[in-house]
Amino acid sequence: MTIALEAPVGLWRDTERCYRAVASRDSRFDGQFIMAVRTTGIYCRPSCPANTPKPQNVRFYPTSAAAQSGGYRACRRCLPDAVPGSPEWNVRADLAARAMRLIADGTVEREGVPGLASRLGYSERQLGRVLTTELGAGPLALARAHRAHAARLLIEMSALPLTDVAFAAGFASVRQFNDTIREVFAATPSQLRAARPRQEADPAGMRLSLRLPFRPPFDADGLLAFFAARAVPLVEATGPGTYARTLRLPHGPGIARLTPEPDHVRCDLNLADVRDLSSAVTRVRRLFDLDADPEAIASVLAADPALAPVFDPGIRVPGAADGHELVVRAMLGQQISVAAARTAAGRLTAELGDPLPDTLRTDELTRLFPTAQAIAEHGRDVLRGPRKRIEAICGVAASLASGEVSVHVGRICAELRVDLLALPGIGPWTADYVLMRVLGAPDVLLTGDVALRKGAAALGLPDDPSALSERALPWRPWRSYAGMHLWRASAGV
């Protein structure tokens, strides 16, 4: 069961609370709002170590794009864009939040504002009006800020020529790139590159090592265990303290290797096309739920004594790297064990998955998960089991391949659920599982899941779906996270 949350009053509008966070340099608020200083003309993250400005000299914005539109440039000391993203974009289900998720995935760079508006089901004019009202900037300004951040990463962490950086980050021209970098960072691209030591990178600039921040605490072990149990051979690989997988990106394949550290997740990327940097980073952040706000989640779930035996404020909800892939994998696992589903997905990949180019492949990672088109056309020759189940999987794959059903982060939860349930072979558990992992929906409780109900019983909670749904009402709007606790309780039985 899910709840479509209304757009809350933005934290940035509560100037008194924001100023208290700035005065205490509270890093928990990094990414949730931007502070701009009128006397210096710069914008900072709330935890910036510089002297706290006087209240009358600050202004708060919801996004860096809004601050840039207001004439402010980024602080070179605190790097305000190198923070976890706002948790609002995952919690909220309104137009602004869905637009932000698509902008972060590079939709404007690939399809323009018309493509963004089309995916969201609004006119360009309506979209611009809503985003300007809610976020202080229109879609072009938001995408421009996103490009500026991507460009800075490439400038400082790759060996790409600056001309190539411009186009890789999504700028239409070198002049536009130079003007934007100077305006946002008060420095030329050459000055940025000279000012900070670069990490080692290959000459083509396709291997990058990034630090992905998160809000602590962060249950890295739980995430790694979840992915290890479901890792598809040839597509995913796990080892002590690390997880790696192949990625199907807009301009080509890639590989991401994620290694959690105490205060960040190290992300080693190997991309066939460096234009996919932003999309790759956005997807792995969603995969590890790095923008979650543990304090907000704990404020609700920690109040329930029934969850106390397994409660961990750092628990995250695992995301998905690709919507179509997750739908197929969820269907594979509907009526069989996790291990059996993993075996079936591995068989599909070995037979139908596209091979990685030699420049990317490793001993363990050699293929991409098959496309929906490949499964629709050839899945019947590879899949084993009841004919009805195989036909259902191939039929759903055909619907995904044709665009009859679109599964992407800009969808509305309730509408996507209706679309999925209309497909033969998809029931409530599968639809809700897709919402939870693909859209990052925070308020989904899989009451039809046997293991989850087993965990509920172990904690003295009702294991009947209806009774458990009623008992879970106080967990709103974080029932997805509560479900992860129940799964953990099941594993401990």
Side-chain angles (χ1 to χ4, degrees), residues 184-209:
V184 174
F185 300 113
T188 66
S190 298
Q191 289 170 331
L192 286 180
R193 176 158 280 183
R196 294 176 65 86
R198 300 192 304 276
Q199 298 187 28
E200 291 185 6
D202 66 330
M206 296 180 185
R207 295 179 185 270
L208 299 169
S209 184

Side-chain angles (χ1 to χ4, degrees), residues 275-338:
R275 288 178 297 174
D276 286 322
L277 172 63
S278 293
S279 291
V281 170
T282 297
R283 294 183 191 194
V284 297
R285 288 196 65 84
R286 294 183 65 82
L287 193 65
F288 269 32
D289 196 16
L290 295 181
D291 293 334
D293 184 352
E295 182 177 341
I297 298 165
S299 68
V300 174
L301 300 188
D304 193 329
L307 296 177
V310 290
F311 182 72
D312 181 343
I315 279 184
R316 297 299 208 263
V317 174
D322 182 273
H324 291 183
E325 174 190 321
L326 197 280
V327 171
V328 172
R329 291 177 63 170
M331 292 191 72
L332 289 173
Q334 282 181 137
Q335 298 174 349
I336 57 178
S337 67
V338 170

